[in-house]
Amino acid sequence: MSTEFPALPYAANALEPHVSARTLEHHHGKHHKGYVDKLSNAIAGTAHEGQSLEAIITAANAASDTGIFNNAAQSWNHTFLWSSMSPTGGGEPSGPLADAIVDRFGSVQRFRDDFKAAALAQFGSGWTWLVRTDAGLDIVSTGNADTPLVHGVTPLLTLDVWEHAYYLDYQNKRDAYVDVFLSNLINWDFAAENYAAD
Ligand code: MN3
């Protein structure tokens, strides 16, 4: 992934009524761009300039450089988030990913229940992820900017549970926002592509 600020993969109003254009414009244009701009300033003239986002995240994590890590990881996490949602999202997974979900969780509905529980249990800011591990699939949450990229697992999709992701539309009701994600926005095609990769 590049360190450049990416366009959204759909129009800012494309996720309405589930996520408002106002939320997406702020989330993408202010929050995500803020991380990208801070990272750009921080790496200018350093060995990180020109590196991939993944390389910067790995190096900053190893060096415990939290300033670079937080902005690089938040840049990556947000780009991954936009593709984890789709205007035609929701519904059911299919193919090998669907089989793997049933193997691991028992049913797609049980996956939704477990994912929601994890998203609600994340105290404060962070992210909830479906990941592929050496043993199969798992649901994990990470705090603040932390990302599964530095934990040896492959992210398949994510939901941002920072309040800035939902407060304008859902105020403090994180559960309603998670329900809408799982019912109407989750991009199973993106998760299936990531599952099939490597
Ligand atoms: Mn965010």
Side-chain angles (χ1 to χ4, degrees), residues 27-28 31-32 35 74 77-78 81-82 126-127 160-165 177:
H27 197 179
H28 175 253
H31 292 278
H32 186 181
Y35 298 121
Q74 284 293 79
N77 291 348
H78 280 91
L81 169 70
W82 309 134
W127 301 80
D160 187 344
V161 297
W162 286 58
E163 279 190 343
H164 69 225
Y177 159 74

Side-chain angles (χ1 to χ4, degrees), residues 8 10-16 19-22 24-25:
L8 283 171
Y10 32 72
N13 64 357
L15 303 184
E16 291 190 336
V19 175
S20 67
R22 186 160 173 252
L24 260 194
E25 282 161 0

Side-chain angles (χ1 to χ4, degrees), residues 131-188:
V131 301
R132 198 187 64 212
T133 73
D134 289 342
L137 298 180
D138 206 0
I139 294 166
V140 298
S141 289
T142 57
N144 298 316
D146 195 14
T147 180
L149 290 182
V150 294
H151 298 293
V153 298
T154 302
L156 303 184
L157 62 82
T158 194
L159 180 64
D160 187 344
V161 297
W162 286 58
E163 279 190 343
H164 69 225
Y166 59 88
Y167 207 86
L168 291 175
D169 296 333
Y170 297 95
Q171 295 77 51
N172 61 323
K173 299 190 248 344
R174 187 188 287 185
D175 62 330
Y177 159 74
V178 176
D179 282 341
V180 153
F181 171 74
L182 290 168
S183 298
N184 301 103
L185 298 174
I186 191 168
N187 186 349
W188 285 119

